[in-house]
Amino acid sequence: METIEVILEGLPTLLRGMGVTIEITVISLILAMFIGLILGVCSITKSRILRGFSTAFVDIIRGTPLLVQILFIYFGLPSVIDIDLTAFSAGVIAITVNAAAYLVEIFRAGINSIDKGQMEAGRTIGFSYAQTMRLIILPQAIKRMIPAIVNQFIVSIKDTSLLSAIGLAELTLSGQSIYAANYRAFEILFAVGVLYFVIIYSLSLFARWLERRLDVA
Amino acid sequence: MRMIEVQNLKKSFGKLEVLKDINIDVQSQEVVCVIGPSGSGKSTLLRCMNLLEEPTGGDILIEGDNLTAPKTNINELRQRMGMVFQQFNLFPHMTVMENITLGPKKLKGKTESEANELGTQLLDKVGLVDKAEVYPDNLSGGQKQRVAIARALAMEPHIMLFDEPTSALDPEMVGEVLQVMKDLAEEGMTMIIVTHEMGFAKEVADRVIFMDEGFIVEQGTPDELFNHPQNERTQAFLSKVL
């Protein structure tokens, strides 16, 4: 068979895998943004408990390999607590938690980069802490954080390939299942690489457009 | 009527005692200038009055309401006090008009058009109507500070606090800001101004307070304080700055 035929034959399976990769990435990153933002704000509050919780979360997640976290959630947890996780939900949890830990640091640094006078100005007008955060601090901080957030998104997209280890038929495992049958690893893995690149490059283009748009405002 | 009463106010940062037993009454429509060497605690005093710094001891009453009482709604209380900072602290992601109208819209329930009308009036007052749609980065220091004053006035405060409002300005821009403050004083606004502008204090203040090392050393009318200072620390300070 010709190279091109091998790829075309595998393409439907690969595209299904790509669909799963995109799905899991989108769900995980939306959740991770919420958790990251909440814990990011926790990490700069006066409350020692909230700060401690946030720091512990970040340290534990960053201090252990993602592959171990994935295996732990999928194989480890169900053996001690009574939960039945599909590979997909285990994958969402793992990617969410992992991305959130890095996003906490991005949010914390981004918020801290805004001059203290902005919070004071907001508070003296009569806004609450939360209102000042929402109306004044975060709009400025998020603009500065976009490059770092996009970077984390890209890392997380690529990290989903590790979910092949728990049998989730995302893009990488889809590729593996094809060349396990036809022994055409070169063609298939090349195609897998191209498909990852398409996802990530689209995201990069979107991010550049977004940054330009925000710059005008 | 008493607008502000400060009773036995103390403030420490760690072991450093910045304010030691401060007592002040400010009457309605009074213009009080606070002067003194840097590190004397005058900015801290001003910042305690709207709780940007939490007092270590003592009481502050704003129009009779105790600032640090647990029942006090600090956000509501701060709406009655405008604050102008040395570094302007305008919101850089908003136009001049948005800077001014944010508070009235979000906190006072004003509609877009009501808020804009108010904003235009205030910009007219500070002489910057043509800058309504400009972003703060494109303004000079003097213009920024005038917008900051307009922003504070937009909440229709009963008291205005100024924390060295002209100290970050190029000399040629000091006058335009002081003029706006002078107009405000003439309209009867109650004002407390921490300043190094002795000429302004002499001309506009009803009362001048001299602070040093966390104490109020001396206070009186501009004539009393500048022309007949009683305390030798006041005399030493004035001989350096006048």
Side-chain angles (χ1 to χ4, degrees), chain A residues 71-117:
Chain A
L71 296 174
F72 183 80
I73 291 167
Y74 189 59
F75 297 116
L77 283 187
S79 67
V80 283
I81 49 175
D82 189 26
I83 43 163
D84 191 18
L85 287 176
T86 61
F88 188 88
S89 30
V92 167
I93 296 171
I95 300 295
T96 298
V97 166
N98 193 266
Y102 289 92
L103 287 170
V104 169
E105 287 297 282
I106 294 171
F107 280 113
R108 190 181 59 80
I111 293 169
N112 278 341
S113 78
I114 302 301
D115 186 84
K116 191 162 82 26

Side-chain angles (χ1 to χ4, degrees), chain A residues 40-154:
Chain A
V41 172
C42 285
S43 72
I44 53 163
T45 54
K46 280 186 195 156
S47 158
R48 242 193 229 174
I49 298 166
L50 291 178
R51 271 206 324 258
F53 178 75
S54 172
T55 311
F57 173 77
V58 170
D59 286 345
I60 290 168
I61 300 302
R62 283 201 312 192
T64 50
L66 175 56
L67 184 55
V68 174
Q69 293 162 13
I70 293 168
L71 296 174
F72 183 80
I73 291 167
Y74 189 59
F75 297 116
L77 283 187
S79 67
V80 283
I81 49 175
D82 189 26
I83 43 163
D84 191 18
L85 287 176
T86 61
F88 188 88
S89 30
V92 167
I93 296 171
I95 300 295
T96 298
V97 166
N98 193 266
Y102 289 92
L103 287 170
V104 169
E105 287 297 282
I106 294 171
F107 280 113
R108 190 181 59 80
I111 293 169
N112 278 341
S113 78
I114 302 301
D115 186 84
K116 191 162 82 26
Q118 293 288 306
M119 177 56 82
E120 291 187 348
R123 296 308 302 275
T124 51
I125 289 173
F127 289 114
S128 66
Y129 179 87
Q131 283 173 316
T132 310
M133 262 297 158
R134 186 164 54 80
L135 296 167
I136 295 157
I137 309 294
L138 286 178
Q140 298 180 56
I142 285 175
K143 201 167 132 183
R144 289 189 196 176
M145 293 185 289
I146 286 176
I149 291 174
V150 171
N151 198 44
Q152 181 53 44
F153 280 16
I154 289 172

Side-chain angles (χ1 to χ4, degrees), chain A residues 115 117-118 120-128 131 135-136 139-140 217, chain B residues 47 50 75 78-79 81 85 89-94 106-107 135 151 155:
Chain A
D115 186 84
Q118 293 288 306
E120 291 187 348
R123 296 308 302 275
T124 51
I125 289 173
F127 289 114
S128 66
Q131 283 173 316
L135 296 167
I136 295 157
Q140 298 180 56
Chain B
R47 291 165 59 83
N50 62 6
N75 297 327
R78 277 178 176 147
Q79 293 180 27
M81 285 186 287
F85 300 88
N89 295 343
L90 293 179
F91 307 134
H93 60 305
M94 296 180 189
K106 300 281 179 185
L107 294 170
Y135 283 90
R151 182 177 68 179
M155 294 303 290

Side-chain angles (χ1 to χ4, degrees), chain B residues 100-117:
Chain B
I100 296 172
T101 55
L102 185 71
K105 279 193 291 195
K106 300 281 179 185
L107 294 170
K108 297 205 141 179
K110 288 208 165 39
T111 64
E112 183 82 29
S113 64
E114 287 168 348
N116 283 339
E117 195 180 323

